[in-house]
Amino acid sequence: MNKKAAGAELEDDHDVDTAAVEDAMDVDNGSGNSRRINLTPLKYHGPWSYKSIKQLVKLHLRTVSSSKALKDYERMLRVASSPSASISPNAVEKGVNGMLERVANLINSGAGEEQSSSGGDENDPKVLAKNVYDLTLKAFHPTTGISPNERLWFKTNLKYGQLLYEMNETGKLQMVINDLLSGSGQNGGESGMEQDTYGGGGGGTTSSGGTHLMEIAALQIQLYSRLKDTKKLRAAYHSAMAVRGGIPHPRTIALIQELGGKMHMSQRNFDEACQAFFQAFKSYDEAGDRARLRCLKYLVMASMLHASSINPFDSHEARAHREDPEIVAMTTLVDAFHNDDIRKFEKILNKNEGRVMDDEFVKEHVSDLLRTLRTQVILNTFEPYTRIRLERISKDLNGIPIEDVESLLVSLILDEKLEGRIDQVSGILVKTNQSVGGGAASSRGDGKMASGSIQSRNTSSIVQLTAALEHLNGAISKASYVV
């Protein structure tokens, strides 16, 4: 660089005119003070200057020198925005995305925690990330940026929103979502959750517009899922499903469907949850994401809670993962469930085979799974009898307390799945409907459960045979008495 260029750089760096002041912004240095940054194009630099500054930023990020990294990143953006630098848009986008990924990796890896604890918040990766994203969004803003780039601005905002979600910064995340909705021509705030926000079904939505709306919806659904705001979560999910014309990344669709499945599970809509988890599994599989195994576990759990006779691993997509180490335990769990083998079922859960219980979402629904299986065992156990002791039911349920047996029986009787009454004095369950010929099977209230098990069909046949024999015995006794 010659003296003239160096002098021009110094003049450009230190002489701030009125337009430069308008483009300046405050950047937090983590110590409670702020540094004024002048975002104006930096003249007399070329492609090699851009590459050199980019390498300096990488070195500062590697050593977690936040202030130096931020200063050089500012220079990199100013050089990239200069028309005389002749930096291609692809090179700018690649360089910016690379820096944003490095900053996100600093937070995920926990780098800089020791420095921030000893030297205040100056080298806190979270503060650095906020400043880097703020600089990037300021530089590439579609209307006020020094290098307007709507595509890069939108992608940066999406990444910033995802980072804020991982950092649990829900307030800032809502602001980012509002900016994204405004940039996409939608209404921000709570009105953005209404059905007409996404075009009332997306009839006139372009392909890129529909894609953007789906990506924004994924952020909204994550936010309201974190806040446990069921009303807004449901509105965001249904609005996302109504978008037409978009071609989002399979991972975006998978994320929306996975959180939608969890929403259905919380509302005990197990059939809808099964469908959502299956779609999420297929989308993750298409994207080559290991999260497909997590959704497959959720699909298996929702299928069992739905008391469906359909084995989730019968589908072509799921069968390919049947022998995966993380899924083997789930396949065994499904087999135990369909065979009403409660001892084997509880053994798998207690031993945490395949780390089934390591998943918090699965752990939340274990009690529901056990209750569903115990219900099936009770119905199968009581089916051929007219009277049965509660101790016998307790033994068949792997020795649970009599009080828990009574609670299960009361629920079944109130739900009209079991026709009987409890004699608490004698500790006996008495069937009130003495009719035979499959009446017990119909008391389940679910034809699929009754017809889907070989054991159920065998029990029904035995009941019919017993009734026929009793009728024959009565007829013979009556005939002998007459003679």
Side-chain angles (χ1 to χ4, degrees), residues 96-107:
V96 169
N97 286 333
M99 295 305 166
L100 296 180
E101 287 180 8
R102 289 173 182 270
V103 170
N105 289 336
L106 283 179
I107 296 178

Side-chain angles (χ1 to χ4, degrees), residues 36-56:
R36 192 74 168 170
I37 283 184
N38 174 30
L39 271 183
T40 54
L42 198 57
K43 301 178 181 178
Y44 308 108
H45 286 72
W48 289 105
S49 298
Y50 174 78
K51 293 179 180 179
S52 301
I53 297 172
K54 184 169 69 173
Q55 295 303 319
L56 280 175

